[in-house]
Amino acid sequence: MNPEPRTLNYKYLCSDLDSTLLANKSDVSAFAISEIRRIRKEVRIILVSARMPKAMHYIQQDLGIPNEPLICYNGAYVLHQNKTLSSTEIAIEQVQEIHTKANALAIHVGLYHKDEWYVPQDSERVQKEIRYTKSSPVFKATKGVLTDWEKRGIGAHKIMLMGTKESADAIFPQLQQSMHTKVHLYRSNDTLIEIAPKSVSKLSAIQQLLNPGDTLSDVIAFGDNYNDLEMLQKVGCGVAVGNARAEVKEIADHLTLSNTEDGVAHFIKTHLATY
């Protein structure tokens, strides 16, 4: 890790949301809003998340950056003012295979496509997601969703597996072995597994949004989890929040305070100049 910098100038600021920019589970703080608004005319602020679009739009509005692009679903869906820039899906056959394995272990499957979100039944986990993202799912049996998607010729931008620690421990290596060439697997916590298309990432999405002549060295990025590793490693400056996983802290250029201490806003205030 490099020594603490003094003043940095970057053309793009890309930040993860949950447990990074968000000081609590659902909102940015007044401090973060103030700091983003201070630099937004000189630095492009791009939100990069595993969330669906409608769970990010309200944060964009709060930050005063509604005209900037959004990177959703870990890079699988990129849009700019409701115009789709890129869309990469997990093929329906692969979704069905994952559902079969999950069903055998009594793991519930959350399915996402653009702003569609389906879960088979209500649960404490689902209610937390509703509160945290200010979005609501459609309650529908997974098999019915897959039948509908097959007719519509669409797949999943993201799959969320919701089980117990034991069932998540059991299915994760199964999926790694059978589908490692087709999907990215992220262990969100002991009971949750996020699945994204293999061919995209937060980093690949950022690359497609760079203006001609700009490079990744023009980007500063903030993150906390495994799905942020590549992004933080490859951009000009990768900053891990204090609550980040050990592996993320290890590869980051700099470390800031935790998300609950407004680490991103603190770093911006201390080190990012306006011109």
Side-chain angles (χ1 to χ4, degrees):
M1 189 175 297
N2 295 330
E4 193 70 4
R6 293 184 178 177
T7 301
L8 302 171
N9 292 319
Y10 289 94
K11 296 179 182 180
Y12 305 82
L13 186 153
C14 299
S15 183
D16 173 54
L17 293 179
D18 294 284
S19 299
T20 300
L21 181 61
L22 302 186
N24 59 43
K25 295 291 186 180
S26 59
D27 293 292
V28 283
S29 69
F31 182 24
I33 291 171
S34 173
E35 282 305 306
I36 293 295
R37 287 175 179 254
R38 177 177 67 84
I39 67 171
R40 63 183 171 171
K41 291 182 180 178
E42 287 85 18
V43 183
R44 293 192 69 188
I45 312 295
I46 301 172
L47 304 183
V48 187
S49 176
R51 290 187 175 207
M52 64 199 305
K54 64 185 176 184
M56 299 174 69
H57 282 305
Y58 75 90
I59 299 171
Q60 267 195 321
Q61 292 292 338
D62 289 345
L63 294 172
I65 53 168
N67 297 326
E68 293 292 357
L70 281 178
I71 296 175
C72 313
Y73 299 127
N74 292 315
Y77 189 49
V78 183
L79 67 161
H80 190 196
Q81 295 180 295
N82 295 317
K83 177 185 178 183
T84 299
L85 300 182
S86 66
S87 176
T88 306
E89 301 169 5
I90 302 170
I92 191 67
E93 297 81 10
Q94 294 164 14
V95 182
Q96 290 166 334
E97 181 181 344
I98 291 167
H99 173 236
T100 298
K101 293 180 185 297
N103 194 48
L105 291 166
I107 294 172
H108 292 161
V109 179
L111 296 174
Y112 298 80
H113 176 85
K114 293 186 177 178
D115 263 331
E116 300 176 28
W117 173 26
Y118 301 93
V119 292
Q121 64 185 60
D122 203 359
S123 67
E124 182 181 351
R125 176 65 243 175
V126 170
Q127 284 300 316
K128 283 183 179 179
E129 194 77 2
I130 291 170
R131 290 196 304 272
Y132 297 164
T133 66
K134 301 184 181 181
S135 306
S136 297
V138 173
F139 295 101
K140 185 174 181 178
T142 305
K143 186 172 284 189
V145 177
L146 296 180
T147 299
D148 175 56
W149 280 11
E150 191 165 23
K151 290 177 182 176
R152 293 164 60 192
I154 62 175
H157 284 119
K158 185 177 84 170
I159 300 171
M160 177 76 83
L161 300 185
M162 299 169 283
T164 62
K165 182 182 185 305
E166 292 72 26
S167 62
D169 286 345
I171 199 170
F172 195 81
Q174 289 182 26
L175 294 175
Q176 278 186 315
Q177 182 175 3
S178 63
M179 306 196 73
H180 69 279
T181 62
K182 302 169 185 174
V183 297
H184 285 296
L185 299 168
Y186 303 107
R187 194 76 181 260
S188 303
N189 60 34
D190 283 346
T191 64
L192 297 177
I193 299 170
E194 290 183 33
I195 305 175
K198 185 73 173 184
S199 61
V200 294
S201 66
K202 290 184 175 184
L203 182 72
S204 69
I206 291 169
Q207 287 175 305
Q208 79 177 72
L209 294 177
L210 298 179
N211 292 327
D214 292 343
T215 68
L216 289 173
S217 63
D218 296 309
V219 180
I220 181 171
F222 296 84
D224 75 298
N225 215 334
Y226 296 127
N227 55 347
D228 299 314
L229 278 166
E230 183 188 40
M231 174 178 73
L232 297 190
Q233 278 183 309
K234 299 294 177 65
V235 299
C237 181
V239 184
V241 286
N243 53 288
R245 292 186 181 273
E247 297 91 330
V248 178
K249 292 179 180 179
E250 188 175 332
I251 59 88
D253 296 305
H254 302 288
L255 185 64
T256 186
L257 300 174
S258 70
N259 71 305
T260 56
E261 299 172 289
D262 266 320
V264 175
H266 175 80
F267 195 92
I268 293 172
K269 179 179 177 65
T270 308
H271 304 298
L272 293 191
T274 50
Y275 310 114

